[in-house]
């Protein structure tokens, strides 16, 4: 059985909720990623911040990214998956919520992220096509 832990990329890092968006952008560049999970003071997932969020919801709105925090960008209920979940569960969660990145948690700690690139590497062409159709479909 292939699990979330098998297909994730490890080394994912939190951005603390109190950090500013300019710091988040610097961390994204350093890690070469387009999204960071946002953690509260107890290292619990409270959102996900994307590079698009920074551009569209902050910069394009005329806000200063050095004054806006990651917490201010956290919206909705964050989704995650346990590292032991099978790939079918991963796909159901991502397709059902139309999400492109999914934090992977083990023993209440962030251990990795699953992104589109991870899916492209580990899924069959049929699974990937089904995922793409579900996630990118207009609802």
């Amino acid at each position: 059985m292939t699990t979330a832990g098998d297909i994730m990329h490890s080394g994912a890092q939190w951005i603390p909720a109190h950090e500013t968006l300019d710091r988040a952008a610097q961390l994204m560049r350093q890690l070469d990623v387009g999204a960071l999970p946002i953690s509260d003071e107890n290292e619990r997932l409270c959102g996900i911040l994307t590079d698009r969020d920074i551009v569209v919801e902050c910069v394009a709105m005329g806000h200063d990214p050095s004054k806006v925090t990651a917490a201010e960008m956290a919206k909705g209920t964050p989704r995650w998956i346990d590292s032991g979940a099978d790939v079918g569960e991963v796909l159901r969660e991502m397709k059902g919520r139309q999400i492109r990145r999914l934090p992977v948690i083990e023993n209440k700690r962030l251990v990795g992220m699953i992104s589109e690139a991870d899916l492209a590497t580990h899924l069959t062409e049929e699974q990937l096509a089904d995922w793409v159709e579900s996630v990118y479909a207009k609802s």
Side-chain angles (χ1 to χ4, degrees):
M1 170 179 85
T2 302
T3 66
D6 296 329
I7 66 172
M8 71 178 191
H9 59 272
S10 58
Q13 291 186 24
W14 300 108
I15 187 78
H18 67 270
E19 283 288 354
T20 57
L21 299 187
D22 61 336
R23 176 65 188 119
Q26 292 165 1
L27 185 56
M28 286 179 188
R29 182 187 63 216
Q30 177 187 339
L31 298 173
D32 193 27
V33 297
L36 294 169
I38 304 169
S39 70
D40 65 15
E41 63 278 353
N42 298 315
E43 289 196 354
R44 303 284 262 182
L45 182 66
C46 62
I48 294 183
L49 178 67
T50 67
D51 48 6
R52 187 174 193 283
D53 292 333
I54 295 170
V55 171
V56 174
E57 301 295 325
C58 178
V59 176
M61 300 296 284
H63 302 295
D64 181 348
S66 69
K67 294 188 169 113
V68 177
T69 66
E72 293 174 72
M73 302 301 291
K75 299 177 189 125
T77 302
R79 307 305 303 176
W80 57 274
I81 196 95
D82 186 85
S83 65
D86 74 32
V87 73
E89 291 176 67
V90 170
L91 293 174
R92 279 189 294 281
E93 182 67 21
M94 293 178 83
K95 287 170 23 179
R97 307 279 181 186
Q98 291 188 303
I99 54 178
R100 298 176 180 107
R101 298 172 181 104
L102 189 62
V104 180
I105 306 293
E106 184 175 283
N107 298 322
K108 299 183 181 180
R109 296 283 178 223
L110 177 70
V111 294
M113 289 279 281
I114 297 174
S115 67
E116 294 167 283
D118 299 313
L119 296 179
T121 303
H122 293 91
L123 298 181
T124 66
E125 285 184 29
E126 184 178 301
Q127 287 174 310
L128 187 58
D130 181 56
W131 179 83
V132 167
E133 184 177 330
S134 297
V135 170
Y136 286 96
K138 299 287 183 197
S139 346

